[in-house]
Amino acid sequence: MTATPYQRLLTALETDRTRQLESARLAKHPETRIAACSMASAFLHAAATAVREFEGPEAAQAYAERAVAETGDRT
């Protein structure tokens, strides 16, 4: 089955967020960590916004809470 554009968008945003979280984890300088955490937060916000537009606000809230719980990220 072919992924829809919405599914591809979410996958891309989740992949980019994961990369930024890993960059933050590996960062040797505080400024680098802060920048990577900020980018990770931005990708989470973008993904939650997409979920809200396609599935509604309750789904977006659940998505964001699940994403944070899965990664332990509190950015």
Side-chain angles (χ1 to χ4, degrees), residues 2-74:
T2 303
T4 66
Y6 168 58
Q7 291 166 327
R8 289 194 310 271
L9 173 62
L10 274 184
T11 298
L13 291 168
E14 290 166 352
T15 299
D16 288 340
R17 179 173 179 259
T18 299
R19 286 183 185 142
Q20 291 300 323
L21 290 172
E22 183 64 10
S23 292
R25 189 182 72 75
L26 297 173
K28 294 184 182 355
H29 302 286
E31 295 85 0
T32 305
R33 183 181 183 285
I34 291 167
C37 286
S38 295
M39 289 298 297
S41 293
F43 284 119
L44 176 58
H45 177 74
T49 299
V51 171
R52 184 186 70 219
E53 292 302 312
F54 284 90
E55 300 181 38
E58 294 82 13
Q61 182 69 30
Y63 174 86
E65 289 173 0
R66 186 174 54 253
V68 169
E70 288 173 358
T71 61
D73 174 42
R74 298 284 179 210

